[in-house]
Amino acid sequence: MQKHTQNLGNNPWRVTESSFRPEHYSLNATLFALGNGYIGLRGTFEEGLEGAADQHGCYLNGVYFSEPITYGESAYGYAKNNQRIASTALPHQLSIKLNGELMDMKRGKVLGHHRELQLDNGLLSRDLRWQTEGGQTLKIESRRLVSLTDRHLIVTEYRVTPENFSGRLEISSYLDATPAQAEASDDPRVGSGINPDDLKPLECQADEHGLLVSQRLRSSGFTLVSAATDRFHGKQPLSTQPERLGSYSAAHHHQLDAKAGETITLTKYALCYSWLHENEEVSTQKIQSHLLASCQKGFGHYAQQQRQAMDRFWQDSDIEIEGDPELQQGLRFNLFHLFQSLGRTPGTNIAAKGLTGHGYDGHYFWDSEIYIFPFFLYTQPELARNLIQFRYSLLDAARDRARELAISKGALFPWRTIGGEECSAYYPAGTAQFHINADVAYSIKQYHLATGDNQLILDVGAEVVWETARLWLQIGHYNPHRDNRFCINEVTGPDEYTALVNNNYFTNAMAQAHLRYASELYHWLQCDHPGRFEELVQNLNLSEAEVNEWREAAERMFLPYDDESGIHLQDDSFLDKPRWDFANTPKDKYPLLLHYHPLTIYRHQVCKQADTVLALFLLSENFSLEEKRRDYDFYEPITTHDSTLSACMHSILANELGYADKARHYFSQVARMDLDNHHNNTQHGVHTACMGGTWLCMVQGFAGMRIHKGQLHFAPTRPEGITHYRFKVRIQGRQLSVSVAPNGTRYQLLSGPPLTLISGDQELRLEQPNTDYTATTLREDNAS
Amino acid sequence: MQKHTQNLGNNPWRVTESSFRPEHYSLNATLFALGNGYIGLRGTFEEGLEGAADQHGCYLNGVYFSEPITYGESAYGYAKNNQRIASTALPHQLSIKLNGELMDMKRGKVLGHHRELQLDNGLLSRDLRWQTEGGQTLKIESRRLVSLTDRHLIVTEYRVTPENFSGRLEISSYLDATPAQAEASDDPRVGSGINPDDLKPLECQADEHGLLVSQRLRSSGFTLVSAATDRFHGKQPLSTQPERLGSYSAAHHHQLDAKAGETITLTKYALCYSWLHENEEVSTQKIQSHLLASCQKGFGHYAQQQRQAMDRFWQDSDIEIEGDPELQQGLRFNLFHLFQSLGRTPGTNIAAKGLTGHGYDGHYFWDSEIYIFPFFLYTQPELARNLIQFRYSLLDAARDRARELAISKGALFPWRTIGGEECSAYYPAGTAQFHINADVAYSIKQYHLATGDNQLILDVGAEVVWETARLWLQIGHYNPHRDNRFCINEVTGPDEYTALVNNNYFTNAMAQAHLRYASELYHWLQCDHPGRFEELVQNLNLSEAEVNEWREAAERMFLPYDDESGIHLQDDSFLDKPRWDFANTPKDKYPLLLHYHPLTIYRHQVCKQADTVLALFLLSENFSLEEKRRDYDFYEPITTHDSTLSACMHSILANELGYADKARHYFSQVARMDLDNHHNNTQHGVHTACMGGTWLCMVQGFAGMRIHKGQLHFAPTRPEGITHYRFKVRIQGRQLSVSVAPNGTRYQLLSGPPLTLISGDQELRLEQPNTDYTATTLREDNAS
């Protein structure tokens, strides 16, 4: 697919599409998606677009099909089934017919078209003027919201004004769950197709009260129910004809006597429900009552609630920057989509593409823990809790998976999944990424440090950390050929341009941290919470001897390092490979994965994304600045950033090293990754990890926030062209405002007890709430 | 599937099944298969067996379906299509009906059953007595041959005698090409299923002259035509009714007035034809004339021709052993199947399962060159030529494949294929086995050494060796971290329990030999055949500079070696892995590949098959005996022999090292691998590589035949329990007979000019033909 650039304006609260370009339709269906953590509705037109039916999507978080994975050559222990995020009946579909001509933006004449994703209001608005072949002109204004206060609800307000004619107009309102065929692709990042045989139609009703369509996903057992009804405000239809269109689709056909200049206002209320178990079932009657109650409240009510919910969000989570409205727009857009995509209910997480497209089949990855979790942790820790609960809910499946891999105790989290089953069909860049266990434990430790919430650790955290820690002693060993250091062979690190290596630095270092934390938790529980301790160690059959083995393995962990160059080596054999011939690789051969066989890529020194560099950030305390500089200087030039997970880490490290130009350059990529479609695949969904990386770049990159040995640090710098920036963080029961300006950084304690922090080399004691404490030094970096 | 052992007799010329056991049906369908290098007919009953229709198979060498390979996650450069050997209409199918009761060995009562695979006659015979539910007894005798002198022809003589009744009998004769469904399996060694949609029916005729069925394979374009007709000898049928049964099947129904004690003799003649291109097309008329001519010659004629063809084969190729009839039986059985499986026509080779089953989808592997080629080379070099021609015919496809892998010049042979396209759906144990290029070059060099046939080298050999040699400079590099030695990373060696490693010893050593031979050939052609030289180097754009690069890379080839232990290392990191826990692996967990995830296996020191040990044999001259001993002693205990390619190499090396017990033990496995179904999967086809290994064990193992620096050597030993053994070899225009006895070894020059050979430490000059020259020393080995 060719890359198109478009002008999305520079309104810091709005993303605007100011003309209709069919070639942007699929990309903008992603960008203009709305969601509430449960439902994600792609930003397709109410009436669709000719030839682009496959762009529709209304995803339900945590709800999936299951389909057997087909292997040309199978082997023992391979992932058996793929779980693919389910799309339910479209809740916003409407069509207009006049004189038998169906309105479609590809026919007739588009006289004007304007869409706005309203980041402040949580709405998508659309205003257009369209002319039929016969010259009749319509004005259409729609406002759409996926309710942040009622997770089942989608409301669409649709206003139609005949400009230059009067006569008969038909508006049809659909509830259509007919499965669309996904495109076939060799690109592993694109999701797989739908098997219509998996859908079992249950109910399909159309009557004067409304529409209702329900199906069962045979393979996974989920039931999906959607209901919808319309209300006209002011002018009423002459008649309304309900129609059942096969097993998956129903409609209301409204006949209207349109008058030139007179606006017809229709509001469509739709509900999506889903459940897996009988005891979660919701009766049709209850759904219909819910629908009726929603109609009675009206669009204005929900729009106001939506605004309030967004206000609350921005109040805690916004990052304001001055001096670069496009960056500001990108930054807000990214945080907005994170908020829209995050699962709030048990058993849901945040998918790599959020709820905006079917890319990666809607799977959850380690992206959640390492790239996205910190944003929620430091702004809305109550939402971060759900991610930890999510992993806990998967623990039994992870235990089963470990057994399949001959790991006799403990748990191994799946590399990609929705419901807990490993779905990676290419194990060298899937199951072999054992580091996921350490990533999950890392996020639990961060949660513990940042919130001081012992209860969650006692309830679920310790069990997850311990069970996942058990992996390492079973796949690693003390290697007599490496001075009896603890080595972990045959793994893949974060960088997927190298696979199945021995002693991946990132994996070993994260495993070391994991084992240490597991051991610390053991002793903390033993001392401070002996009751829970006894209960847990008995349930898990965990002995002090085993914990001693953990500590021993951590102490003797092999961390590959080249004495000569002073570089931490990505793996044992990284230096044995020749450097990729970047000079003779044309631009159109990137991303490499789409143009070279894995064997060609794996044979070379070339990184898809930060790997050792990521360790420099996550385990920042383990490295001196000089070590970081040597590693960064070595790895950065051989990294293609073919993964959207890469640029943010490079921006953060560049910041730390004083490479201001690079920090700014990578941040620009990150902040507008999807808006500018840098990776040319945003049509399949946004890149939520990169969006999380945006926050990391600002708060942990430019502002340099770290917790070192329990002490909060900042080391603020300002990216070129940005005069001021401000954000808030929550930490250990406090909320703190940070405002960086040319003359220094102002800190305010917005709530909670007094706090000491270090800003650059100054120590500040924040005693009084809502009082400015200013650190005058601002690090001045040289361009690299 | 549970393993069953059965008694197959110990007749050294016959494999006998002396009772009917349904649980052996699928296994024996493989063992009793007949073939002629073009057609392979599984040893199923003429009337089939209830519930076992999928056991039928009539394979055509080199003829295949093509089907897209489905990947859960695809990537650039993956093999796109699988080629699967085609099964054509069954040429031997007959049924008997009496009083409406269809004869089936699973119904009624089997009063006796005896089958013999006649290795001397090239026939399968079957004698049985069967009783209906009503007590009517039939005697049936069939003789079947797949003609070695007319490659399209299959003849079945079928004699039926009612023993205790007279009355109406119906014998139906079928020609049935209806596609059978193959079993689904997670075992990668089992072939994949058939897609009936790929078959396009062309003709299906049944008339008084005979039956004719033809189809096109849509995906690959092959046309398959089968024709059949019956002749009664003596008693004639009352009537014969032709019937067309759908698009793929036709029949003749013969009504007979049977008389107790009177034998009905029916001979069924069937022809199989196939072609890919229009210009190879054979007209229906010509096929029908061919069929008529065959009928006129009669079964006796073909049986006699068959016997003569087998006589010629055994005359040159037999290995006689005295003292162990079961080993003798196994040995002859193996050589017989090799002879039956080897393609004689352009574009055909010998499949891993021969023409006896659909295992591995009928693919050709490196097995041909390394395990099977020597047998033909030293007994019937004219058949070995075809294997080299086969690779030459694939050269253009191999060039295309190299480009897909970013190898800008030269060729890369597919790991598994029929028609030339890479069919490996798991590249870590497929495409990554780059050593196939060196294996092909190795076989060409062996051919050149053994035959002195310069012409084939000039015509095709040099081009193949050079084009394949080009690979190494493109995937290898001079590694500054290894003293600037030439290293080859990210490959898989023969041992598939380790994958994607750096500097696999076998690969590097074979590449070294390949590059040296390529360079030698260059200078030989330059000096001795300047005309052909000029033509070739121009066509291939090959310069002296490039050849110098080859020699340089060979000289500086990195060959991993551990100074401390004196072991050649299977790869760079082999010593870094912990040893597999053999002590705690129950027997039923073998083969490991069916019980452990590849990650579990790859992480450990464990070999599926000979890898470095194979190099010790193929590149024997490169190693001292002490080096071989150290390597063997290290690798043998960690080798599971889960591949049937392993035991023969261990027998040969054990022989060389004087480990007589081990040599004998492994040889016993090898010689009766399929007869005793040691790997419990012979039902999917015989193991042709292991069969070739049988010959290697005897001639290059026990008799110790080598050509070192152009000099022929023997070092005979006798396996325990074998008093004498005798075989013949052809070498550089001579035929030599070798006879090993307790008191020494007798050599006879059967044809060709005088020859000097070294037997043990004695030099013998064979001047006179047909005269005994005796070496009195026989190596006496100690048991290991």
Side-chain angles (χ1 to χ4, degrees), chain A residues 126-403:
Chain A
R126 178 185 181 210
D127 297 295
L128 69 97
R129 289 178 65 237
W130 181 78
Q131 200 172 59
T132 63
E133 302 279 355
Q136 295 167 307
T137 306
L138 283 178
K139 187 166 82 169
I140 298 178
E141 300 145 291
S142 84
R143 303 287 176 274
R144 182 192 301 174
L145 65 84
V146 175
S147 175
L148 290 160
T149 52
D150 178 347
R151 70 185 178 97
H152 299 286
L153 182 69
I154 301 103
V155 192
T156 309
E157 188 189 65
Y158 200 69
R159 292 157 53 88
V160 182
T161 312
E163 290 194 341
N164 61 355
F165 71 97
S166 297
R168 190 59 69 86
L169 200 74
E170 181 178 300
I171 303 183
S172 296
S173 172
Y174 296 91
L175 198 59
D176 185 3
T178 311
Q181 288 298 326
E183 61 187 300
S185 175
D186 258 6
D187 181 345
R189 303 165 303 178
V190 177
S192 56
I194 290 172
N195 174 13
D197 296 342
D198 196 47
L199 277 188
K200 179 184 172 189
L202 298 177
E203 283 186 274
C204 183
Q205 299 172 12
D207 60 25
E208 67 275 22
H209 304 302
L211 312 172
L212 188 139
V213 174
S214 62
Q215 319 101 48
R216 173 127 340 118
L217 308 182
R218 294 178 203 270
S219 54
S220 57
F222 281 95
T223 300
L224 311 182
V225 185
S226 295
T229 197
D230 305 327
R231 289 292 182 271
F232 286 84
H233 189 74
K235 188 178 184 75
Q236 297 296 312
L238 295 172
S239 71
T240 290
Q241 183 66 41
E243 190 188 9
R244 197 174 166 281
L245 302 148
S247 307
Y248 294 109
S249 181
H252 274 166
H253 304 292
H254 307 290
Q255 302 295 333
L256 289 134
D257 182 22
K259 293 232 155 49
E262 193 184 74
T263 299
I264 299 161
T265 303
L266 176 159
T267 308
K268 178 170 181 176
Y269 300 86
L271 294 173
C272 301
Y273 275 86
S274 63
W275 57 84
L276 182 57
H277 303 291
E278 258 180 46
N279 62 358
E280 302 159 338
E281 193 172 326
V282 182
S283 70
T284 303
Q285 201 193 347
K286 200 168 164 192
I287 293 172
Q288 282 164 339
S289 310
H290 185 175
L291 191 60
L292 192 63
S294 304
C295 292
Q296 284 163 352
K297 289 181 183 154
F299 181 78
H301 168 81
Y302 288 106
Q304 196 186 358
Q305 285 210 331
Q306 196 80 348
R307 171 73 199 212
Q308 287 167 357
M310 288 314 304
D311 280 350
R312 284 192 296 277
F313 170 71
W314 292 119
Q315 178 64 27
D316 287 340
S317 311
D318 192 21
I319 300 178
E320 293 172 83
I321 60 181
E322 282 169 34
D324 193 328
E326 292 192 343
L327 269 192
Q328 175 72 76
Q329 184 193 46
L331 209 154
R332 289 222 177 93
F333 173 82
N334 291 352
L335 302 185
F336 177 76
H337 264 295
L338 288 178
F339 185 59
Q340 291 204 120
S341 300
L342 178 78
R344 275 85 159 158
T345 50
T348 62
N349 188 324
I350 184 164
K353 299 287 183 177
L355 296 167
T356 67
H358 65 268
Y360 291 118
D361 286 337
H363 290 165
Y364 310 135
F365 293 79
W366 70 310
D367 307 34
S368 304
E369 276 79 8
I370 298 300
Y371 289 83
I372 301 167
F373 185 79
F375 164 59
F376 290 107
L377 174 61
Y378 288 106
T379 59
Q380 297 149 94
E382 66 286 358
L383 292 181
R385 285 176 68 94
N386 193 52
L387 291 175
I388 294 176
Q389 293 281 9
F390 169 79
R391 286 294 175 189
Y392 182 71
S393 75
L394 259 48
L395 201 49
D396 276 339
R399 288 178 174 117
D400 292 345
R401 179 62 181 157
R403 299 308 159 269

Side-chain angles (χ1 to χ4, degrees), chain B residues 63-125:
Chain B
V63 181
Y64 55 88
F65 293 82
S66 175
E67 50 203 0
I69 300 173
T70 307
Y71 296 96
E73 277 182 69
S74 189
Y76 182 89
Y78 275 17
K80 288 185 183 53
N81 300 298
N82 185 37
Q83 300 179 335
R84 197 170 45 69
I85 193 166
S87 191
T88 191
L90 296 174
H92 66 314
Q93 251 187 315
L94 292 165
S95 74
I96 302 179
K97 203 190 266 180
L98 62 170
N99 301 326
E101 192 176 339
L102 209 55
M103 186 230 156
D104 188 289
M105 299 281 279
K106 276 196 176 167
R107 298 187 219 158
K109 195 170 176 186
V110 176
L111 301 176
H113 175 82
H114 185 89
R115 287 203 290 178
E116 272 188 8
L117 183 68
Q118 305 187 357
L119 308 176
D120 46 356
N121 294 320
L123 296 179
L124 176 65
S125 68

Side-chain angles (χ1 to χ4, degrees), chain B residues 546-694:
Chain B
E546 188 176 349
V547 176
N548 289 339
E549 284 177 22
W550 293 349
R551 221 176 21 247
E552 173 82 2
E555 292 321 305
R556 290 166 63 192
M557 185 67 69
F558 181 74
L559 296 168
Y561 183 79
D562 182 51
D563 285 329
E564 197 181 321
S565 57
I567 306 290
H568 297 94
L569 298 177
Q570 187 169 314
D571 58 73
D572 277 0
S573 69
F574 199 75
L575 284 187
D576 285 324
K577 300 178 181 181
R579 207 166 180 272
W580 184 269
D581 185 3
F582 294 97
N584 291 307
T585 307
K587 272 197 173 168
D588 63 3
K589 293 285 192 184
Y590 293 92
L592 300 181
L593 69 99
L594 295 188
H595 301 94
Y596 297 92
H597 192 284
L599 283 168
T600 313
I601 297 174
Y602 294 175
R603 208 160 53 224
H604 291 93
Q605 270 181 20
V606 55
C607 301
K608 184 181 175 194
Q609 68 199 74
D611 190 293
T612 309
V613 166
L614 176 59
L616 302 180
F617 167 61
L618 295 182
L619 304 168
S620 187
E621 300 178 32
N622 295 0
F623 306 90
S624 73
L625 200 64
E626 270 321 297
E627 285 179 316
K628 289 180 183 176
R629 187 182 308 280
R630 285 194 302 266
D631 285 350
Y632 183 92
D633 290 351
F634 175 76
Y635 288 105
E636 195 242 351
I638 56 172
T639 301
T640 62
H641 311 293
D642 285 347
S643 161
T644 62
L645 275 59
S646 191
C648 60
M649 291 303 152
H650 282 80
S651 175
I652 295 171
L653 260 294
N655 242 315
E656 205 172 331
L657 297 170
Y659 297 161
D661 282 2
K662 283 182 189 290
R664 179 71 163 84
H665 163 76
Y666 286 120
F667 177 62
S668 306
Q669 292 266 323
V670 170
R672 293 187 61 90
M673 184 65 76
D674 288 311
L675 284 183
D676 292 343
N677 196 11
H678 282 301
H679 278 241
N680 204 19
N681 64 358
T682 294
Q683 61 274 18
H684 304 132
V686 298
H687 298 84
T688 52
C690 181
M691 290 173 156
T694 311

